[in-house]
Amino acid sequence: MSDTSARDQRFSDEELTAYLDGENELAPIVRISEALKTDRKLRERIKHLSVDKDAIAKAFQSVQPTNFPAASRLPQSAANSNRSFNYAQMAAGMIVALGIGFGASQWMMHGQDQRNWRDFVATYQALYVNETLASVQQSEPKLSSELTRVAATLGTTLDLSAMQSVPTLDYKRAQVLSFMNQPLIQLAFLSDAGQPIALCIIKTQDAENSAIRYENLEGLESATWAKNGFEYLLIGDTDKDFLSKTARQMSDLI
Amino acid sequence: MWFKKDSTSKVRYGLDALYPRLWRYCVVLTKSNDLADDLAQAVCLRALEKAEQYQEGTHLDRWIFRIAQRHWINDLRKSAVRRGAGLVPIEETDLVDGNFDPEANILGREVLLSVMALPEAQRSVVVLAYVEGYSYRECADILDIPVGTVMSRLAGARGKMADKFDGERTPK
């Protein structure tokens, strides 16, 4: 704020700011322009409030993401596939689920509607291509701190060495997603064949552990199991044997 | 229904072009590349979830920014602060070390840091108005605040930044 002792009370700082920004509807442009011709203190206030907007805009052009989400890398051919249509269907299905209103997040965590989160993850994972993760290179400390932060959203801890101990997988990153306002974490890997694979974890209110089940979702192979209050989904565009073996390794590790 | 698919497609493909701007705004909100990744991804998913609510012919970018703003305030900011991420001084964030072009000039770096040092309420509106180019009323719509609040936040931000920059050319 400008010095109140020197302030010309005819115009507020807000009006002068609107004047500087050319917001004609919100500032008495003509009156301020006239006053500036003779009012030295008003000119000083204007000078005090002046910033170089071009410099600000230019400075922020340098702030660019290093990684794009899979949706941004989706090839046009894939966008026109059945997978794309399924994605639209799933999004519409999600909207219906959201429309149930209060209690929906509780409701969706039980029974048949648990399939929703897996289907939803599958449609998201289906957008991943090798290039989504191939350029992701993070230092060990950063991978570790990221994993700690992401796991904390589920109130748990995950060990980086466990994520890196499956020889056929290259651990890339962890991120927090959201499903029906429930945190859902995604741990992303590339297989030794360069295929993107995700291990997704969500809390479950079902206290029972469950054995690994396999199913095809959105054309992707997947394995699901429950353990110690969490449900796990390993999913990727790989062959079934590879995914089955990897799921067994993962379920032993975490 | 066809219109659901169509609006979903528009949102989906719109996110493609918007993602760099969305991510940048998420950095402005979170002051962290990692949190910005999380927020931007969450916003993308939420936008797809809510795609049916997007009205074709309206501005998708403002709709997406509005989702980002609300998601940050309602769902993520508290947990980020609780974990300490929201309290990290700007000098220590990886914004400076990671994403700023090392060949950019020193003035640009100082400008960036000056804006990022502003309180969240002020820096978000500064970026929406002066980087994204939104009018005051558009900023108010995105932030869901009165236009008078936009004016006062910008005036406050200008006061704090004034000493950092050279004067600008005032409107004729």
Side-chain angles (χ1 to χ4, degrees):
Chain A
M1 299 287 279
S2 57
D3 182 357
T4 51
S5 63
R7 181 172 298 169
D8 181 336
Q9 296 298 333
R10 285 179 298 174
F11 306 111
S12 67
D13 279 356
E14 287 78 7
E15 287 177 319
L16 296 183
T17 296
Y19 167 81
L20 287 167
D21 287 335
E23 292 277 352
N24 294 1
E25 293 180 16
L26 301 170
I29 300 290
V30 175
R31 285 176 48 219
I32 292 173
S33 296
E34 284 299 312
L36 281 172
K37 293 176 182 173
T38 57
D39 189 332
R40 182 179 56 82
K41 286 185 177 178
L42 184 60
R43 286 198 294 271
E44 289 174 356
R45 285 181 64 199
I46 284 285
K47 184 178 180 182
H48 178 75
L49 287 170
S50 296
V51 296
D52 189 340
K53 291 187 290 187
D54 289 341
I56 295 173
K58 189 174 179 182
F60 274 85
Q61 296 308 314
S62 301
V63 181
Q64 293 289 328
T66 52
N67 301 309
F68 279 62
S72 297
R73 296 287 187 89
L74 184 66
Q76 188 63 33
S77 56
N80 293 330
S81 70
N82 287 337
R83 195 171 278 172
S84 172
F85 175 67
N86 289 340
Y87 199 90
Q89 283 183 314
M90 182 53 62
M94 285 298 303
I95 290 158
V96 171
L98 287 167
I100 292 167
F102 184 76
S105 60
Q106 296 292 318
W107 173 82
M108 71 89 184
M109 294 301 290
H110 296 280
Q112 66 176 22
D113 299 298
Q114 283 209 356
R115 75 177 186 269
N116 285 349
W117 85 272
R118 297 196 300 272
D119 285 342
F120 191 68
V121 165
T123 55
Y124 181 61
Q125 183 66 24
L127 304 178
Y128 270 62
V129 292
N130 171 272
E131 290 79 4
T132 309
L133 297 170
S135 63
V136 177
Q137 300 292 341
Q138 300 193 82
S139 65
E140 290 278 318
K142 192 162 185 177
L143 282 171
S144 182
S145 63
E146 178 187 72
L147 186 61
T148 300
R149 173 177 59 79
V150 168
T153 63
L154 291 181
T156 189
T157 57
L158 290 169
D159 186 10
L160 177 62
S161 62
M163 297 301 108
Q164 295 174 323
S165 62
V166 179
T168 52
L169 292 182
D170 179 14
Y171 175 65
K172 288 295 189 178
R173 71 180 181 199
Q175 55 185 0
V176 180
L177 305 176
S178 172
F179 177 72
M180 301 282 285
N181 295 321
Q182 300 286 322
L184 159 68
I185 69 172
Q186 182 212 46
L187 312 175
F189 304 82
L190 276 182
S191 73
D192 50 6
Q195 297 150 323
I197 293 176
L199 176 66
C200 296
I201 310 173
I202 195 169
K203 272 188 176 176
T204 176
Q205 294 180 1
D206 191 344
E208 295 288 319
N209 291 354
S210 67
I212 301 173
R213 292 182 294 113
Y214 303 98
E215 61 185 327
N216 189 283
L217 298 171
E218 295 292 309
L220 307 178
E221 294 299 333
S222 78
T224 308
W225 67 95
K227 191 175 179 181
N228 300 331
F230 296 99
E231 190 168 5
Y232 299 85
L233 171 66
L234 185 72
I235 186 166
D237 190 13
T238 68
D239 66 70
K240 193 170 181 177
D241 289 342
F242 178 89
L243 194 95
S244 303
K245 182 181 176 184
T246 307
R248 288 194 296 274
Q249 291 173 306
M250 280 289 184
S251 67
D252 289 339
L253 286 167
I254 54 178
Chain B
M1 295 173 68
W2 68 268
F3 60 83
K4 287 181 183 174
K5 182 184 175 186
D6 198 42
S7 64
T8 300
S9 296
K10 286 188 181 299
V11 170
R12 184 178 169 202
Y13 292 121
L15 284 169
D16 189 10
L18 281 172
Y19 191 79
R21 292 170 58 197
L22 168 64
W23 187 86
R24 182 170 61 198
Y25 187 59
C26 291
V27 169
V28 170
L29 292 176
T30 64
K31 300 176 78 168
S32 157
N33 286 356
D34 288 341
L35 284 176
D37 284 343
D38 292 346
L39 178 57
Q41 296 264 337
V43 170
C44 289
L45 286 175
R46 186 154 292 191
L48 287 164
E49 288 174 7
K50 295 174 176 286
E52 189 186 13
Q53 297 173 14
Y54 170 66
Q55 296 179 346
E56 288 184 49
T58 62
H59 294 274
L60 181 64
D61 53 345
R62 294 182 215 167
W63 189 71
I64 297 294
F65 278 117
R66 196 156 51 238
I67 291 173
Q69 183 72 28
R70 287 178 181 172
H71 191 46
W72 169 241
I73 289 175
N74 295 335
D75 298 324
L76 294 183
R77 182 167 60 181
K78 289 177 184 173
S79 62
V81 171
R82 193 162 53 239
R83 294 196 302 271
L87 301 177
V88 177
I90 181 60
E91 291 81 1
E92 296 177 13
T93 69
D94 48 6
L95 170 69
V96 178
D97 295 327
N99 266 47
F100 193 82
D101 180 354
E103 296 184 4
N105 61 47
I106 293 172
L107 174 62
R109 185 186 180 90
E110 289 179 351
V111 169
L112 188 72
L113 290 176
S114 298
V115 174
M116 293 302 288
L118 292 170
E120 180 187 317
Q122 291 181 351
R123 70 174 183 270
S124 59
V125 75
V126 162
V127 169
L128 289 174
Y130 301 151
V131 178
E132 296 298 335
Y134 292 119
S135 71
Y136 284 12
R137 293 195 191 283
E138 290 166 347
C139 291
D141 182 46
I142 290 167
L143 297 169
D144 198 22
I145 56 176
V147 70
T149 304
V150 170
M151 294 170 70
S152 63
R153 287 182 183 180
L154 284 173
R158 278 174 172 267
K160 287 177 181 170
M161 291 189 295
D163 295 337
K164 303 281 185 182
F165 305 135
D166 293 330
E168 67 187 330
R169 186 183 301 168
T170 54
K172 301 291 183 187

